């Protein structure tokens, strides 16, 4: 036992290192255009990602006031209510209710030619959870949407 203890301790000391080696910071890019569409229908996030960076690029030409887009993530059951409530807010609020816990992550609203990032921890996601990303610009929420899967 006394001989094995140092070996055991050495093995235990390695555990945090291997956990760190497995943890990944992941990134995805998504585009939106002047036709009110995202170029992805589904975003798959590997389960070993500890954080996710989402880069939204508006590849259109129209200004944010006319054809602004953002990227908002919520549980699918909140998608409709957030879309409707967001439509009553201002662009400075990213067309979202302020400090709303149902919003898991979101970017600001951008116009054509712009791009923006949001980084968030995947600790806010459950494996097998039902998540929808969407644009909360007034009138866009029901058309500009997709599914996010945390695998
Ligand atoms: Cu939009």
């Amino acid at each position: 036992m006394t001989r094995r203890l140092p070996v055991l301790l050495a093995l235990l000391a390695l555990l945090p290192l291997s956990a760190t080696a497995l943890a990944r910071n992941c990134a995805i890019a998504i585009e939106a255009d002047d036709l009110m569409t995202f170029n992805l229908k589904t975003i798959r996030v590997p389960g070993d990602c500890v954080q996710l960076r989402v880069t939204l690029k508006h590849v259109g030409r129209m200004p944010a006031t006319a054809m602004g887009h953002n990227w908002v993530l919520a549980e699918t059951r909140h998608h409709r209510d957030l879309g409707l409530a967001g439509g009553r807010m201002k662009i400075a609020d990213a067309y979202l209710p302020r400090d709303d816990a149902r919003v898991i992550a979101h970017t600001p609203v951008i116009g054509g030619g712009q791009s923006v990032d949001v980084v968030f921890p995947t600790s806010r996601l459950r494996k097998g959870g039902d998540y929808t990303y969407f644009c909360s610009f007034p009138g866009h929420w029901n058309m500009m949407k997709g599914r996010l899967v945390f695998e």
Side-chain angles (χ1 to χ4, degrees):
M1 182 66 191
T2 46
R3 260 191 222 162
R4 283 183 188 168
L5 192 59
V7 175
L8 186 64
L9 287 175
L11 284 174
L12 282 175
L14 285 174
L15 280 177
L17 274 179
S18 49
T20 306
L22 287 172
R24 290 201 289 146
N25 294 331
C26 302
I28 66 106
I30 184 168
E31 293 179 358
D33 61 21
D34 284 342
L35 300 174
M36 267 173 67
T37 58
F38 283 127
N39 70 334
L40 300 176
K41 291 268 180 260
T42 306
I43 293 173
R44 296 187 179 280
V45 181
D48 62 343
C49 298
V50 288
Q51 72 175 31
L52 182 67
R53 174 184 298 273
V54 175
T55 302
L56 170 67
K57 186 176 182 189
H58 190 323
V59 297
R61 293 179 161 195
M62 295 173 72
T65 47
M67 184 53 72
H69 300 308
N70 64 356
W71 187 91
V72 180
L73 181 65
E75 285 187 61
T76 298
R77 64 193 171 112
H78 299 313
H79 167 222
R80 183 175 187 276
D81 286 349
L82 282 172
L84 291 173
R88 295 190 289 269
M89 300 301 290
K90 297 190 165 112
I91 193 168
D93 299 312
Y95 294 114
L96 287 169
R98 288 181 194 168
D99 301 320
D100 194 306
R102 295 173 297 177
V103 175
I104 296 169
H106 76 89
T107 70
V109 174
I110 56 171
Q114 297 182 305
S115 85
V116 71
D117 284 16
V118 61
V119 178
F120 64 97
T122 59
S123 57
R124 298 220 45 201
L125 304 174
R126 281 189 332 274
K127 284 178 185 169
D130 189 0
Y131 302 100
T132 293
Y133 62 85
F134 62 99
C135 171
S136 64
F137 189 95
H140 292 196
W141 64 272
N142 199 30
M143 180 169 173
M144 295 185 72
K145 64 183 177 182
R147 203 50 71 84
L148 182 139
V149 181
F150 188 45
E151 299 179 319

